[in-house]
Amino acid sequence: MIHPDKSWKRIWDLVTFCATTYFAVEVPLRIIFDYKIGGQIAFYERIIQILFGIDIILNFFTGYFQERTLITNRKLVAKRYLRSWFLVDFCSAFPFDIFGQFFYSYFGLTDSLRVLRLARSVKVFELFRSLRMLATGEREDYQYKVLEVLSPVTFRLIFFVYWTSLFAHWVACGWIHLNPGFLANSDNTTRYIRSLYWSVTTLTTIGYGDITPTTNIQTIYTMGVMIVGVGIYGYVIGNIATILSSLDISRIAFQEKINTVNSFLKYKKLPNHLSNRIRSYYFNLWENKHGVDEDDIWEDLPLGIKADVSFYLHEKLIDSVPYFKNRTEEFKREVALRLKPVLFTKGDWIYREGDFSDNMYFIAKGQIEIYGETTKTVIATLNEGSFFGERDLFDRTDRKTSAKAIQFCDLYTLDRTSLDTISKHHSDEKIPSPQKKRKQTDHGKTRKNPSKRK
């Protein structure tokens, strides 16, 4: 059986969709204008008919999803297909034009057969539903690949324009069919454009009255289009408003947050230098993370996924620490799981000389200066991928240096309690005292490369 989300099956569906769209546009035009197509176009259409025939065979061997469960039983697949789209697909693929003489001789059918070509147009609904399912999550394994390329808002906008345009085209063709004398002295292109103009103005309820019905059936048709147009007009306004409001939800939320912060600052009457630091924090948060709060995301994730994601994101940072590098994967995964994100703005002190050492830090983004307040000198400048504060934490001593953010910094911290807990869970992997390795670390790694921790 064929998995419905195989990459080649997706490409096949896309080709089928394009071919069906061609027929959805061309078949109504051929019916109303009754023109002949050239031999080359007829050859291409015959190929498309063969593709539709192959598609029928593939559908008998393609599984489907029911309540997020893949069904691959051949009898169930065939039964479902026969009850749903088989008849439409058969009418789309059957070459009625080849057997036209047979149907005329025995059933007296000629022009009626041309209407069956419209069955090819109906298949657009099936293919659109398939694509829509991918974006709304009914096909769980594949939806994320679609959303990486096309956002849901863009997806909705594209297919809204598609359906509106296709429906307006069908209404325009229907108007010409009901009004054969409409601009009879003009060429077909002019007749179609004017009819499409009438279709658009009627569906959007604008209607200038320059093109009006003259017969009862035309009047009934126009009233029906108007009623549908009222629904489309409301649908258009509602969807456009929703789409526009959904284009940048995070920015809207950020602006609301800034308004709340400004109200808070005004109410508390904070001095300008403190107010500007608070505003700077939020603006830097937006520029670097688009206002995303990692804690909110982590809280919603189950523990298993959280552990896997944390280990994937922080494995390199953890391996940069000599005391963690050669540990088991289970040890590192627990370290990754206990890392906490913290943010600092430019000029913030992360810790000061003489402070109690209860954390070590990993730099995910930004730049840190290790500063000796006693000597008034910059000892090291650390960049993304570095770590600091581990020595005092492992030695359980007060801070011997100070650390200051010289730009907006995205850090991760590991506290003493978490480190002790990890050591208890992995008693056979106790963290060694760094005293014996201090000389090698001080005079090797740090001085040769000041971007790493002294």
Side-chain angles (χ1 to χ4, degrees):
M1 295 295 288
I2 302 172
H3 195 288
D5 290 337
K6 286 287 186 181
S7 57
W8 68 267
K9 186 63 169 61
R10 296 292 93 200
I11 296 174
W12 174 268
D13 287 343
L14 180 61
V15 172
T16 306
F17 177 81
C18 293
T20 304
T21 301
Y22 162 76
F23 280 119
V25 174
E26 196 275 337
V27 168
L29 291 175
R30 195 184 305 180
I31 290 175
I32 61 174
F33 292 129
D34 196 24
Y35 58 80
K36 301 296 182 181
I37 59 174
Q40 189 173 10
I41 295 179
F43 174 74
Y44 291 146
E45 288 193 359
R46 192 68 65 205
I47 292 177
I48 293 175
Q49 280 186 319
I50 294 174
L51 291 178
F52 284 162
I54 296 174
D55 188 60
I56 292 176
I57 298 174
L58 291 178
N59 285 333
F60 277 108
F61 295 93
T62 302
Y64 64 94
F65 286 88
Q66 184 174 353
E67 297 179 355
R68 298 187 180 272
T69 301
L70 179 62
I71 306 298
T72 56
N73 184 283
R74 288 189 178 183
K75 291 184 178 180
L76 293 178
V77 170
K79 187 176 181 180
R80 176 178 181 269
Y81 181 53
L82 288 171
R83 288 182 174 180
S84 55
W85 290 94
F86 171 75
L87 183 60
V88 172
D89 288 350
F90 177 80
C91 293
S92 301
F94 190 82
F96 286 102
D97 49 340
I98 296 178
F99 299 95
Q101 185 62 37
F102 169 81
F103 284 95
Y104 175 73
S105 300
Y106 289 92
F107 302 102
L109 300 175
T110 53
D111 292 344
S112 302
L113 291 176
R114 294 190 304 175
V115 179
L116 294 176
R117 296 172 183 169
L118 286 177
R120 297 165 182 160
S121 306
V122 180
K123 198 174 182 184
V124 172
F125 290 89
E126 177 196 14
L127 295 171
F128 171 67
R129 180 176 177 271
S130 175
L131 293 173
R132 184 182 180 186
M133 286 168 64
L134 296 179
T136 54
E138 290 188 42
R139 297 183 179 181
E140 191 174 49
D141 295 336
Y142 188 75
Q143 61 170 319
Y144 309 107
K145 298 178 184 178
V146 174
L147 297 180
E148 285 175 2
V149 180
L150 204 61
S151 70
V153 174
T154 305
F155 184 88
R156 287 181 59 191
L157 183 60
I158 289 175
F159 277 95
F160 170 72
V161 173
Y162 174 87
W163 279 116
T164 304
S165 303
L166 189 60
F167 187 72
H169 166 73
W170 288 343
V171 170
C173 292
W175 175 255
I176 295 176
H177 181 70
L178 294 175
N179 193 357
F182 179 67
L183 299 178
N185 296 326
S186 301
D187 59 275
N188 289 340
T189 302
T190 301
R191 294 179 67 197
Y192 173 74
I193 293 175
R194 292 288 291 174
S195 179
L196 185 62
Y197 157 79
W198 173 86
S199 172
V200 172
T201 56
T202 304
L203 286 173
T204 55
T205 69
I206 295 175
Y208 294 107
D210 48 347
I211 301 177
T212 56
T214 55
T215 65
N216 290 339
I217 191 169
Q218 291 174 15
T219 303
I220 294 173
Y221 180 75
T222 302
M223 287 190 297
V225 172
M226 287 180 177
I227 293 173
V228 174
V230 171
I232 291 180
Y233 180 78
Y235 182 79
V236 168
I237 297 301
N239 269 270
I240 289 180
T242 302
I243 289 171
L244 292 178
S245 64
S246 302
L247 286 177
D248 203 344
I249 295 177
S250 57
R251 183 179 292 277
I252 295 174
F254 169 73
Q255 189 59 53
E256 292 177 352
K257 185 71 174 181
I258 290 297
N259 292 338
T260 303
V261 169
N262 287 333
S263 299
F264 168 79
L265 297 176
K266 184 177 180 180
Y267 172 72
K268 293 297 183 180
K269 298 180 181 179
L270 294 178
N272 288 334
H273 71 279
L274 290 179
S275 298
N276 290 335
R277 285 187 65 187
I278 294 175
R279 293 190 184 97
S280 175
Y281 165 77
Y282 282 105
F283 279 107
N284 278 289
L285 183 65
W286 169 255
E287 290 177 0
N288 289 275
K289 293 194 171 186
H290 288 279
V292 175
D293 189 342
E294 288 189 31
D295 289 335
D296 292 341
I297 297 176
W298 291 122
E299 287 178 3
D300 294 336
L301 292 177
L303 185 60
I305 295 178
K306 190 186 300 184
D308 291 339
V309 174
S310 297
F311 182 68
Y312 173 79
L313 293 175
H314 307 134
E315 182 181 8
K316 290 183 179 180
L317 284 176
I318 294 171
D319 282 341
S320 67
V321 182
Y323 313 115
F324 295 155
K325 186 174 183 180
N326 297 321
R327 305 297 166 187
T328 62
E329 182 176 324
E330 290 74 16
F331 184 95
K332 295 177 183 178
R333 286 169 68 90
E334 188 166 356
V335 171
L337 192 60
R338 293 179 179 273
L339 292 179
K340 303 297 182 183
V342 289
L343 302 173
F344 293 92
T345 58
K346 181 179 179 180
D348 287 348
W349 289 100
I350 299 169
Y351 56 76
R352 304 293 291 268
E353 189 174 323
D355 288 349
F356 177 72
S357 57
D358 57 353
N359 295 84
M360 68 172 294
Y361 298 88
F362 301 84
I363 305 177
K365 188 174 184 180
Q367 199 170 56
I368 299 292
E369 278 186 350
I370 304 300
Y371 184 75
E373 293 193 69
T374 303
T375 59
K376 305 296 183 183
T377 57
V378 176
I379 300 173
T381 300
L382 307 180
N383 299 299
E384 180 178 330
S386 301
F387 60 94
F388 61 97
E390 83 289 350
R391 247 192 229 146
D392 299 328
L393 178 66
F394 294 156
D395 291 347
R396 299 178 182 272
T397 60
D398 292 341
R399 298 294 186 187
K400 299 178 180 60
T401 56
S402 301
K404 186 177 184 179
I406 56 178
Q407 57 182 242
F408 183 84
C409 292
D410 184 4
L411 309 179
Y412 288 91
T413 179
L414 179 67
D415 59 62
R416 185 188 302 277
T417 303
S418 297
L419 191 61
D420 291 341
T421 302
I422 296 171
S423 298
K424 291 178 181 178
H425 292 170
H426 303 271
S427 56
D428 56 333
E429 296 188 68
K430 289 186 179 295
I431 299 176
S433 173
Q435 298 292 339
K436 296 180 181 181
K437 297 187 177 182
R438 176 169 295 179
K439 183 175 181 179
Q440 179 183 355
T441 305
D442 287 350
H443 299 286
K445 188 176 181 181
T446 302
R447 292 192 177 180
K448 288 182 180 179
N449 185 2
S451 67
K452 298 296 182 182
R453 172 69 182 103
K454 178 181 175 183

Short mmCIF file of all heavy atoms in Angstrom, two decimals, residues 316-363:
data_model
loop_
_atom_site.label_atom_id
_atom_site.label_comp_id
_atom_site.label_asym_id
_atom_site.label_seq_id
_atom_site.Cartn_x
_atom_site.Cartn_y
_atom_site.Cartn_z
N LYS A 316 26.51 21.11 22.70
CA LYS A 316 27.81 21.74 22.44
C LYS A 316 28.24 22.63 23.59
O LYS A 316 29.43 22.69 23.94
CB LYS A 316 27.75 22.53 21.14
CG LYS A 316 27.63 21.66 19.90
CD LYS A 316 27.65 22.49 18.63
CE LYS A 316 27.56 21.60 17.40
NZ LYS A 316 27.56 22.39 16.14
N LEU A 317 27.28 23.36 24.18
CA LEU A 317 27.62 24.20 25.32
C LEU A 317 28.12 23.36 26.50
O LEU A 317 29.10 23.71 27.16
CB LEU A 317 26.40 25.03 25.74
CG LEU A 317 26.02 26.23 24.88
CD1 LEU A 317 24.73 26.85 25.40
CD2 LEU A 317 27.13 27.26 24.86
N ILE A 318 27.44 22.25 26.74
CA ILE A 318 27.83 21.38 27.86
C ILE A 318 29.20 20.75 27.61
O ILE A 318 30.04 20.67 28.50
CB ILE A 318 26.76 20.30 28.08
CG1 ILE A 318 25.44 20.95 28.54
CG2 ILE A 318 27.21 19.27 29.11
CD1 ILE A 318 24.27 20.01 28.57
N ASP A 319 29.44 20.32 26.37
CA ASP A 319 30.73 19.70 26.04
C ASP A 319 31.88 20.68 26.12
O ASP A 319 33.05 20.28 26.19
CB ASP A 319 30.67 19.09 24.64
CG ASP A 319 29.95 17.75 24.62
OD1 ASP A 319 29.82 17.14 25.70
OD2 ASP A 319 29.50 17.33 23.54
N SER A 320 31.58 21.99 26.08
CA SER A 320 32.66 22.98 26.17
C SER A 320 33.26 23.04 27.57
O SER A 320 34.36 23.54 27.76
CB SER A 320 32.12 24.36 25.77
OG SER A 320 31.18 24.85 26.71
N VAL A 321 32.54 22.52 28.57
CA VAL A 321 33.05 22.49 29.94
C VAL A 321 33.86 21.21 30.13
O VAL A 321 33.33 20.11 29.97
CB VAL A 321 31.89 22.53 30.96
CG1 VAL A 321 32.43 22.55 32.39
CG2 VAL A 321 31.00 23.74 30.70
N PRO A 322 35.15 21.31 30.46
CA PRO A 322 35.99 20.12 30.59
C PRO A 322 35.44 19.10 31.58
O PRO A 322 35.58 17.89 31.38
CB PRO A 322 37.33 20.68 31.07
CG PRO A 322 37.34 22.09 30.59
CD PRO A 322 35.92 22.55 30.68
N TYR A 323 34.79 19.56 32.64
CA TYR A 323 34.29 18.66 33.68
C TYR A 323 33.05 17.90 33.24
O TYR A 323 32.65 16.93 33.89
CB TYR A 323 33.98 19.46 34.95
CG TYR A 323 35.10 20.40 35.33
CD1 TYR A 323 34.90 21.78 35.30
CD2 TYR A 323 36.35 19.91 35.68
CE1 TYR A 323 35.93 22.65 35.63
CE2 TYR A 323 37.38 20.77 36.00
CZ TYR A 323 37.18 22.14 35.97
OH TYR A 323 38.19 22.98 36.28
N PHE A 324 32.42 18.31 32.14
CA PHE A 324 31.23 17.64 31.63
C PHE A 324 31.50 16.85 30.35
O PHE A 324 30.73 15.96 30.00
CB PHE A 324 30.12 18.65 31.34
CG PHE A 324 29.58 19.35 32.55
CD1 PHE A 324 28.98 20.60 32.43
CD2 PHE A 324 29.70 18.79 33.81
CE1 PHE A 324 28.49 21.26 33.54
CE2 PHE A 324 29.21 19.44 34.92
CZ PHE A 324 28.61 20.68 34.79
N LYS A 325 32.57 17.18 29.67
CA LYS A 325 32.78 16.69 28.31
C LYS A 325 32.77 15.18 28.20
O LYS A 325 32.19 14.60 27.27
CB LYS A 325 34.08 17.26 27.76
CG LYS A 325 34.32 16.91 26.29
CD LYS A 325 35.55 17.61 25.75
CE LYS A 325 35.73 17.31 24.27
NZ LYS A 325 36.93 17.98 23.71
N ASN A 326 33.43 14.49 29.12
CA ASN A 326 33.58 13.04 29.01
C ASN A 326 32.53 12.27 29.81
O ASN A 326 32.70 11.07 30.06
CB ASN A 326 34.99 12.63 29.46
CG ASN A 326 36.06 13.21 28.56
OD1 ASN A 326 35.89 13.28 27.35
ND2 ASN A 326 37.16 13.65 29.16
N ARG A 327 31.49 12.93 30.23
CA ARG A 327 30.43 12.26 30.98
C ARG A 327 29.52 11.46 30.04
O ARG A 327 29.54 11.64 28.81
CB ARG A 327 29.59 13.27 31.75
CG ARG A 327 30.40 14.16 32.68
CD ARG A 327 31.07 13.35 33.76
NE ARG A 327 32.09 14.13 34.45
CZ ARG A 327 32.92 13.66 35.35
NH1 ARG A 327 32.87 12.37 35.66
NH2 ARG A 327 33.82 14.43 35.91
N THR A 328 28.70 10.62 30.60
CA THR A 328 27.76 9.82 29.80
C THR A 328 26.66 10.72 29.24
O THR A 328 26.43 11.84 29.72
CB THR A 328 27.12 8.72 30.65
OG1 THR A 328 26.38 9.33 31.72
CG2 THR A 328 28.19 7.80 31.22
N GLU A 329 25.97 10.20 28.23
CA GLU A 329 24.90 10.99 27.62
C GLU A 329 23.78 11.24 28.62
O GLU A 329 23.17 12.31 28.62
CB GLU A 329 24.36 10.25 26.39
CG GLU A 329 23.27 11.02 25.67
CD GLU A 329 22.80 10.34 24.42
OE1 GLU A 329 23.65 9.73 23.72
OE2 GLU A 329 21.58 10.42 24.12
N GLU A 330 23.48 10.26 29.49
CA GLU A 330 22.43 10.44 30.49
C GLU A 330 22.76 11.59 31.43
O GLU A 330 21.90 12.40 31.81
CB GLU A 330 22.22 9.16 31.29
CG GLU A 330 21.59 8.01 30.52
CD GLU A 330 22.55 7.37 29.54
OE1 GLU A 330 23.77 7.62 29.69
OE2 GLU A 330 22.10 6.63 28.65
N PHE A 331 24.03 11.68 31.79
CA PHE A 331 24.48 12.77 32.66
C PHE A 331 24.27 14.12 31.96
O PHE A 331 23.73 15.07 32.54
CB PHE A 331 25.96 12.57 33.01
CG PHE A 331 26.52 13.57 33.98
CD1 PHE A 331 26.57 13.29 35.34
CD2 PHE A 331 27.00 14.80 33.55
CE1 PHE A 331 27.09 14.20 36.24
CE2 PHE A 331 27.51 15.73 34.44
CZ PHE A 331 27.55 15.43 35.79
N LYS A 332 24.70 14.20 30.72
CA LYS A 332 24.59 15.46 29.96
C LYS A 332 23.13 15.84 29.73
O LYS A 332 22.77 17.02 29.76
CB LYS A 332 25.32 15.33 28.63
CG LYS A 332 26.82 15.15 28.75
CD LYS A 332 27.45 14.96 27.37
CE LYS A 332 28.93 14.69 27.48
NZ LYS A 332 29.55 14.46 26.14
N ARG A 333 22.29 14.83 29.48
CA ARG A 333 20.88 15.12 29.26
C ARG A 333 20.24 15.73 30.50
O ARG A 333 19.41 16.65 30.40
CB ARG A 333 20.13 13.84 28.86
CG ARG A 333 20.42 13.38 27.44
CD ARG A 333 19.87 11.98 27.19
NE ARG A 333 18.42 12.00 27.22
CZ ARG A 333 17.65 12.20 26.15
NH1 ARG A 333 18.21 12.43 24.98
NH2 ARG A 333 16.34 12.18 26.23
N GLU A 334 20.63 15.24 31.67
CA GLU A 334 20.07 15.82 32.89
C GLU A 334 20.60 17.22 33.13
O GLU A 334 19.86 18.09 33.60
CB GLU A 334 20.39 14.93 34.09
CG GLU A 334 19.66 15.37 35.35
CD GLU A 334 19.67 14.34 36.45
OE1 GLU A 334 20.18 13.22 36.22
OE2 GLU A 334 19.17 14.65 37.55
N VAL A 335 21.87 17.45 32.79
CA VAL A 335 22.42 18.81 32.89
C VAL A 335 21.64 19.75 31.97
O VAL A 335 21.23 20.84 32.36
CB VAL A 335 23.92 18.83 32.54
CG1 VAL A 335 24.42 20.27 32.42
CG2 VAL A 335 24.73 18.08 33.59
N ALA A 336 21.42 19.30 30.72
CA ALA A 336 20.70 20.12 29.74
C ALA A 336 19.28 20.43 30.21
O ALA A 336 18.77 21.53 30.03
CB ALA A 336 20.65 19.41 28.39
N LEU A 337 18.65 19.43 30.83
CA LEU A 337 17.27 19.61 31.28
C LEU A 337 17.16 20.62 32.42
O LEU A 337 16.12 21.26 32.58
CB LEU A 337 16.71 18.25 31.72
CG LEU A 337 15.21 18.15 31.94
CD1 LEU A 337 14.46 18.49 30.66
CD2 LEU A 337 14.85 16.74 32.41
N ARG A 338 18.24 20.78 33.18
CA ARG A 338 18.19 21.68 34.34
C ARG A 338 18.75 23.06 34.05
O ARG A 338 18.80 23.91 34.94
CB ARG A 338 18.95 21.04 35.51
CG ARG A 338 18.27 19.80 36.06
CD ARG A 338 19.02 19.17 37.20
NE ARG A 338 18.32 18.00 37.71
CZ ARG A 338 17.38 18.03 38.65
NH1 ARG A 338 17.02 19.19 39.18
NH2 ARG A 338 16.78 16.92 39.06
N LEU A 339 19.17 23.31 32.82
CA LEU A 339 19.62 24.65 32.46
C LEU A 339 18.42 25.61 32.40
O LEU A 339 17.36 25.26 31.88
CB LEU A 339 20.32 24.62 31.10
CG LEU A 339 21.67 23.88 31.03
CD1 LEU A 339 22.21 23.94 29.61
CD2 LEU A 339 22.67 24.49 32.01
N LYS A 340 18.61 26.81 32.91
CA LYS A 340 17.55 27.82 32.93
C LYS A 340 17.98 29.03 32.11
O LYS A 340 19.09 29.53 32.27
CB LYS A 340 17.25 28.25 34.37
CG LYS A 340 16.85 27.11 35.30
CD LYS A 340 15.55 26.46 34.86
CE LYS A 340 15.14 25.35 35.82
NZ LYS A 340 13.92 24.66 35.37
N PRO A 341 17.11 29.52 31.23
CA PRO A 341 17.47 30.71 30.44
C PRO A 341 17.39 31.97 31.27
O PRO A 341 16.46 32.16 32.07
CB PRO A 341 16.41 30.70 29.32
CG PRO A 341 15.23 30.01 29.92
CD PRO A 341 15.79 28.98 30.87
N VAL A 342 18.36 32.85 31.10
CA VAL A 342 18.37 34.17 31.75
C VAL A 342 18.84 35.19 30.74
O VAL A 342 19.65 34.88 29.86
CB VAL A 342 19.27 34.19 33.01
CG1 VAL A 342 18.67 33.39 34.13
CG2 VAL A 342 20.67 33.70 32.69
N LEU A 343 18.36 36.41 30.87
CA LEU A 343 18.70 37.48 29.95
C LEU A 343 19.32 38.65 30.71
O LEU A 343 18.89 38.96 31.83
CB LEU A 343 17.45 37.95 29.19
CG LEU A 343 16.70 36.90 28.36
CD1 LEU A 343 15.41 37.48 27.82
CD2 LEU A 343 17.58 36.40 27.23
N PHE A 344 20.28 39.30 30.08
CA PHE A 344 20.91 40.48 30.65
C PHE A 344 21.06 41.53 29.56
O PHE A 344 21.39 41.19 28.41
CB PHE A 344 22.29 40.15 31.24
CG PHE A 344 22.24 39.26 32.45
CD1 PHE A 344 22.34 37.88 32.31
CD2 PHE A 344 22.09 39.80 33.72
CE1 PHE A 344 22.29 37.04 33.41
CE2 PHE A 344 22.04 38.98 34.83
CZ PHE A 344 22.14 37.60 34.68
N THR A 345 20.82 42.76 29.91
CA THR A 345 20.99 43.84 28.95
C THR A 345 22.39 44.45 29.09
O THR A 345 23.13 44.15 30.04
CB THR A 345 19.94 44.95 29.17
OG1 THR A 345 20.05 45.44 30.51
CG2 THR A 345 18.54 44.40 28.96
N LYS A 346 22.74 45.29 28.14
CA LYS A 346 24.06 45.90 28.13
C LYS A 346 24.30 46.68 29.43
O LYS A 346 23.47 47.48 29.85
CB LYS A 346 24.19 46.83 26.93
CG LYS A 346 25.55 47.49 26.80
CD LYS A 346 25.59 48.39 25.57
CE LYS A 346 26.94 49.08 25.45
NZ LYS A 346 27.01 49.95 24.26
N GLY A 347 25.44 46.41 30.06
CA GLY A 347 25.81 47.11 31.28
C GLY A 347 25.39 46.39 32.56
O GLY A 347 25.77 46.83 33.66
N ASP A 348 24.61 45.33 32.47
CA ASP A 348 24.18 44.60 33.67
C ASP A 348 25.34 43.80 34.26
O ASP A 348 26.12 43.16 33.53
CB ASP A 348 23.04 43.64 33.33
CG ASP A 348 21.73 44.35 33.08
OD1 ASP A 348 21.65 45.56 33.38
OD2 ASP A 348 20.79 43.71 32.57
N TRP A 349 25.42 43.82 35.58
CA TRP A 349 26.37 42.95 36.28
C TRP A 349 25.70 41.59 36.49
O TRP A 349 24.64 41.50 37.08
CB TRP A 349 26.77 43.54 37.64
CG TRP A 349 27.64 44.76 37.53
CD1 TRP A 349 27.26 46.06 37.63
CD2 TRP A 349 29.05 44.78 37.30
NE1 TRP A 349 28.33 46.91 37.49
CE2 TRP A 349 29.46 46.14 37.28
CE3 TRP A 349 30.03 43.79 37.12
CZ2 TRP A 349 30.78 46.53 37.08
CZ3 TRP A 349 31.34 44.18 36.92
CH2 TRP A 349 31.70 45.53 36.89
N ILE A 350 26.36 40.55 36.03
CA ILE A 350 25.83 39.20 36.20
C ILE A 350 26.13 38.72 37.61
O ILE A 350 25.29 38.11 38.27
CB ILE A 350 26.43 38.26 35.14
CG1 ILE A 350 26.02 38.78 33.75
CG2 ILE A 350 25.93 36.82 35.33
CD1 ILE A 350 26.74 38.12 32.62
N TYR A 351 27.35 38.98 38.06
CA TYR A 351 27.70 38.81 39.48
C TYR A 351 28.89 39.73 39.76
O TYR A 351 29.58 40.18 38.86
CB TYR A 351 27.99 37.35 39.84
CG TYR A 351 29.07 36.68 39.03
CD1 TYR A 351 30.43 36.94 39.26
CD2 TYR A 351 28.75 35.73 38.06
CE1 TYR A 351 31.43 36.30 38.52
CE2 TYR A 351 29.74 35.09 37.33
CZ TYR A 351 31.08 35.39 37.56
OH TYR A 351 32.06 34.76 36.83
N ARG A 352 29.08 40.01 41.06
CA ARG A 352 30.15 40.92 41.48
C ARG A 352 31.18 40.17 42.32
O ARG A 352 30.87 39.14 42.95
CB ARG A 352 29.57 42.08 42.30
CG ARG A 352 28.48 42.88 41.61
CD ARG A 352 29.00 43.64 40.42
NE ARG A 352 29.87 44.73 40.80
CZ ARG A 352 29.45 46.00 41.02
NH1 ARG A 352 28.17 46.29 40.89
NH2 ARG A 352 30.32 46.93 41.33
N GLU A 353 32.36 40.66 42.32
CA GLU A 353 33.44 40.09 43.10
C GLU A 353 33.05 40.07 44.57
O GLU A 353 32.60 41.06 45.13
CB GLU A 353 34.71 40.93 42.90
CG GLU A 353 35.97 40.33 43.49
CD GLU A 353 37.20 41.14 43.13
OE1 GLU A 353 37.28 41.66 41.99
OE2 GLU A 353 38.10 41.26 44.00
N GLY A 354 33.19 38.89 45.20
CA GLY A 354 32.81 38.73 46.60
C GLY A 354 31.42 38.15 46.78
O GLY A 354 31.05 37.77 47.90
N ASP A 355 30.61 38.06 45.71
CA ASP A 355 29.27 37.46 45.81
C ASP A 355 29.38 35.96 46.08
O ASP A 355 30.38 35.31 45.75
CB ASP A 355 28.48 37.68 44.53
CG ASP A 355 28.05 39.12 44.35
OD1 ASP A 355 28.18 39.89 45.33
OD2 ASP A 355 27.60 39.47 43.24
N PHE A 356 28.33 35.41 46.67
CA PHE A 356 28.27 33.96 46.89
C PHE A 356 28.09 33.27 45.54
O PHE A 356 27.25 33.68 44.72
CB PHE A 356 27.12 33.61 47.82
CG PHE A 356 26.96 32.15 48.05
CD1 PHE A 356 27.87 31.44 48.83
CD2 PHE A 356 25.89 31.46 47.49
CE1 PHE A 356 27.72 30.08 49.04
CE2 PHE A 356 25.74 30.10 47.68
CZ PHE A 356 26.66 29.41 48.47
N SER A 357 28.84 32.23 45.28
CA SER A 357 28.78 31.54 43.97
C SER A 357 27.75 30.43 44.02
O SER A 357 27.98 29.39 44.66
CB SER A 357 30.16 30.98 43.61
OG SER A 357 30.63 30.11 44.61
N ASP A 358 26.64 30.65 43.37
CA ASP A 358 25.60 29.62 43.36
C ASP A 358 25.19 29.24 41.94
O ASP A 358 24.25 28.49 41.75
CB ASP A 358 24.38 30.08 44.14
CG ASP A 358 23.83 31.39 43.61
OD1 ASP A 358 24.48 32.00 42.73
OD2 ASP A 358 22.76 31.81 44.07
N ASN A 359 25.88 29.75 40.90
CA ASN A 359 25.55 29.44 39.52
C ASN A 359 26.80 29.42 38.65
O ASN A 359 27.79 30.08 38.96
CB ASN A 359 24.59 30.49 38.93
CG ASN A 359 23.25 30.52 39.58
OD1 ASN A 359 23.10 31.17 40.62
ND2 ASN A 359 22.28 29.85 39.00
N MET A 360 26.71 28.69 37.56
CA MET A 360 27.65 28.84 36.46
C MET A 360 26.83 29.19 35.22
O MET A 360 25.61 28.95 35.17
CB MET A 360 28.47 27.57 36.22
CG MET A 360 27.69 26.38 35.70
SD MET A 360 28.77 24.99 35.24
CE MET A 360 29.65 25.71 33.83
N TYR A 361 27.47 29.77 34.21
CA TYR A 361 26.73 30.32 33.09
C TYR A 361 27.29 29.83 31.76
O TYR A 361 28.50 29.61 31.62
CB TYR A 361 26.79 31.86 33.12
CG TYR A 361 26.15 32.46 34.35
CD1 TYR A 361 26.90 32.66 35.51
CD2 TYR A 361 24.82 32.82 34.36
CE1 TYR A 361 26.32 33.20 36.65
CE2 TYR A 361 24.23 33.38 35.50
CZ TYR A 361 24.99 33.56 36.63
OH TYR A 361 24.41 34.10 37.75
N PHE A 362 26.39 29.69 30.77
CA PHE A 362 26.74 29.36 29.40
C PHE A 362 26.23 30.49 28.51
O PHE A 362 25.10 30.95 28.66
CB PHE A 362 26.10 28.05 28.96
CG PHE A 362 26.49 26.87 29.82
CD1 PHE A 362 25.82 26.60 31.01
CD2 PHE A 362 27.50 26.03 29.43
CE1 PHE A 362 26.15 25.51 31.79
CE2 PHE A 362 27.85 24.93 30.21
CZ PHE A 362 27.19 24.67 31.39
N ILE A 363 27.04 30.92 27.56
CA ILE A 363 26.66 32.04 26.68
C ILE A 363 26.08 31.48 25.39
O ILE A 363 26.78 30.89 24.58
CB ILE A 363 27.88 32.94 26.36
CG1 ILE A 363 28.53 33.43 27.66
CG2 ILE A 363 27.44 34.12 25.50
CD1 ILE A 363 29.78 34.26 27.43
#
